[in-house]
Amino acid sequence: MAYDSNNIFAKILRGEIPCNKVYEDEFALAFRDINPQAAVHTLVIPKGAYVSFDDFSTKATDAEIGGFARAVQATAALEGVTDSGYRLLANHGKDANQEVPHFHVHIAGGEALPEMIAKT
Ligand code: AMP
C-alpha cells in the first residue's frame, strides 16, 4: 500500500491541522487521541512517511526505529503512566481496523484496563 500524504496524521505533522501535543523530537510526535478509549490515550507517530507497523519496521532506518521506541517511552513517562502501567497497541491493516494510514502506536492507561481493548 502506497503512503497517502493526505492522511490526517500527515496533515498534523505538516501543521495543517492542530493536535494536543504531548511530546516531539526529531523522530516522533505524540498527541492525545481525539476519541479517547481510556483515561490516558495518546498516539505516537514517526515523522517519516510509513503506512503501518509493517511498512515502518521494513523500511525505516535503525535510528528511526530506535528513536521511535524512545519517544514512546518518553511519552508514557510524560503522561505519568510508567509506574501505574500502560498498554501499547498498533493496528496494521484491514483485520485490525486500522483507520489512519500513517503508522501510530496507541498508549492506553491511567486506569485499570479491560483484558483487551475492544474496538467498535
Ligand atoms: P487506528 O484505528 O489504529 O488507525 O486509530 C486511529 C486513531 O486516531 C483513533 O483512535 C482516532 O480516535 C484517532 N484520531 C483520528 N483523528 C485524530 C485527530 N485529528 N487527532 C487525534 N486523534 C485522532
Side-chain angles (χ1 to χ4, degrees):
M1 182 181 179
Y3 184 79
D4 172 12
S5 59
N6 283 321
N7 78 75
I8 196 147
F9 292 171
K11 290 179 179 175
I12 287 174
L13 276 174
R14 290 196 295 268
E16 293 169 8
I17 63 168
C19 70
N20 192 342
K21 182 161 81 175
V22 174
Y23 177 80
E24 182 172 16
D25 64 21
E26 67 178 298
F27 295 109
L29 174 68
F31 51 91
R32 300 253 164 81
D33 196 290
I34 205 167
N35 183 24
Q37 305 294 309
V40 169
H41 186 175
T42 306
L43 304 173
V44 190
I45 69 175
K47 291 205 165 167
Y50 301 105
V51 176
S52 70
F53 175 75
D54 188 81
D55 194 32
F56 180 69
S57 55
T58 303
K59 296 180 187 159
T61 65
D62 289 355
E64 287 177 292
I65 292 171
F68 183 77
R70 299 255 195 243
V72 172
Q73 183 278 333
T75 301
L78 284 169
E79 292 289 36
V81 294
T82 303
D83 291 340
S84 52
Y86 58 88
R87 179 171 295 152
L88 300 182
L89 185 150
N91 293 311
H92 161 68
K94 179 168 62 68
D95 281 356
N97 294 314
Q98 182 181 358
E99 289 171 14
V100 180
H102 182 112
F103 172 49
H104 51 281
V105 164
H106 299 249
I107 299 174
E111 62 182 330
L113 300 171
E115 285 197 12
M116 289 291 287
I117 288 179
K119 203 163 176 249
T120 54

